Amino acid sequence: MANIDLNTLDAGMGSRFPLGRLHSLESMGTVDGPGIRFVVFVQGCPMRCAYCHNPDTWAINAGTRVSVEHIVELFENNRQFYRNGGITVSGGEPLLQPDFLAALFAEMHDRPRGRVHTCLDTSGYAFDPDHPERTAAVLDDCDLVLLDIKHADPERHRDLTGRGMERIVAFGDELARRGIETVIRHVVVPGYTDSTDECMRLGRLIGRWPNVVGLEMLPYHTMGVVKYEKLGIPYRLDDVPQMDKERIPELRAAVLRGMKEVRQAEQL
């Protein structure tokens, strides 16, 4: 994997598209969608997840301003590496910058050398169900969504992230309505999201979305703690150990049972 120095990038003056605020770029991503991918990490996030390992992405008006054209150029310069992958926009929260994201995805779908697979990694919280038109252009050119569901219980979701989950569920409903392939991501945190009941409840939530094509259970780790120390931010899960990876198959099976329960009930 290789990070790209944002200080070397074009600030985008004269771009015909809205500029994006970026945190970083990854030229050889292998865990952000299928194949090898060019990963754009945007700046700014409305969530405050207790286990977030990138608190440096939270500030909305920070980051480096970069043009769509320059990102496309960087991608095309190494296109041969992405022939079985594509481009992923992660964060931070990409849907806070819908105009930039829509322009980038549209350009990637309209490349002279062939359409590029586009993937959105999001919490879904920035989706506004009262104004779905604000993100419609993004989803029009989105091939895959990695949807991060933080917790299946509304109250515990708010405690864990500082935000409610109504918009996230509405976003999942919108993806299902559009039939956009979606992979659910769920961070398994000891004492928070590692119970069979919570995982069954998650399965019941996502089981009603027929467009869900994958499930990633991500074991909680503490690699991001050092960033909190450098930024002077208290780390809420300071006493929580890393997740025992051996429990992941058991909890994944609980999610799948919940999904099956809902889907079987819908067939009755």
Side-chain angles (χ1 to χ4, degrees), residues 80-268:
Q80 68 271 23
F81 294 112
Y82 310 121
R83 59 186 179 275
N84 294 319
I87 188 168
T88 297
V89 182
S90 185
E93 175 48 62
L95 291 179
L96 287 179
Q97 304 182 49
D99 296 337
F100 164 76
L101 183 56
L104 177 60
F105 277 4
E107 283 294 292
M108 285 298 177
H109 273 182
D110 193 32
R111 304 312 303 144
R113 296 169 63 185
R115 177 187 175 110
V116 175
H117 183 275
T118 59
C119 177
L120 169 65
D121 182 5
T122 177
S123 72
Y125 181 78
F127 175 75
D128 185 351
D130 293 327
H131 296 281
E133 70 279 2
R134 293 175 181 170
T135 50
V138 175
L139 299 182
D140 287 346
D141 284 301
C142 182
D143 296 314
L144 176 70
V145 171
L146 307 179
L147 180 57
D148 302 305
I149 304 290
K150 313 299 183 178
H151 205 292
D153 178 80
E155 291 186 9
R156 298 207 68 186
H157 185 282
R158 184 174 292 277
D159 177 63
L160 191 62
T161 70
R163 299 288 185 269
M165 62 184 303
E166 297 83 4
R167 288 185 171 210
I168 296 165
V169 174
F171 183 66
D173 291 342
E174 176 67 7
L175 296 177
R177 185 188 71 80
R178 285 173 167 264
I180 297 175
E181 290 191 347
T182 299
V183 174
I184 300 298
R185 284 180 159 179
H186 188 59
V187 178
V188 186
V189 185
Y192 287 83
T193 59
D194 66 333
S195 72
T196 300
D197 287 345
E198 196 274 334
C199 289
M200 283 281 288
R201 187 165 182 169
L202 173 64
R204 296 186 190 104
L205 170 64
I206 67 178
R208 56 196 185 83
W209 297 331
N211 55 313
V212 171
V213 297
L215 171 65
E216 297 181 5
M217 304 289 282
L218 308 175
Y220 166 75
H221 60 73
T222 58
M223 290 187 289
V225 174
V226 65
K227 290 187 178 181
Y228 286 79
E229 295 172 353
K230 289 181 178 179
L231 294 170
I233 302 173
Y235 188 66
R236 289 176 53 199
L237 304 186
D238 196 42
D239 297 327
V240 177
Q242 294 196 132
M243 184 65 199
D244 179 4
K245 295 181 181 179
E246 293 186 1
R247 290 198 59 215
I248 296 299
E250 164 204 345
L251 298 175
R252 176 185 172 84
V255 178
L256 295 177
R257 286 199 302 274
M259 293 179 68
K260 183 177 180 180
E261 178 183 299
V262 168
R263 292 180 174 180
Q264 286 181 336
E266 289 177 347
Q267 294 174 0
L268 296 179

Side-chain angles (χ1 to χ4, degrees), residues 12-113:
M13 298 303 294
S15 172
R16 59 195 177 94
F17 301 114
L19 302 183
R21 286 190 178 273
L22 271 57
H23 172 269
S24 56
L25 294 169
E26 171 60 62
S27 64
M28 299 287 282
T30 58
V31 294
D32 305 282
I36 297 175
R37 308 190 72 82
F38 187 91
V39 187
V40 179
F41 294 95
V42 300
Q43 181 70 31
C45 185
M47 304 276 272
R48 293 296 181 265
C49 301
Y51 54 74
C52 177
H53 58 275
N54 288 315
D56 45 331
T57 67
W58 290 349
I60 301 293
N61 294 319
T64 302
R65 304 200 76 185
V66 178
S67 69
V68 167
E69 292 93 335
H70 199 65
I71 293 175
V72 171
E73 179 184 0
L74 289 171
F75 180 92
E76 291 290 0
N77 287 343
N78 295 287
R79 187 184 179 104
Q80 68 271 23
F81 294 112
Y82 310 121
R83 59 186 179 275
N84 294 319
I87 188 168
T88 297
V89 182
S90 185
E93 175 48 62
L95 291 179
L96 287 179
Q97 304 182 49
D99 296 337
F100 164 76
L101 183 56
L104 177 60
F105 277 4
E107 283 294 292
M108 285 298 177
H109 273 182
D110 193 32
R111 304 312 303 144
R113 296 169 63 185

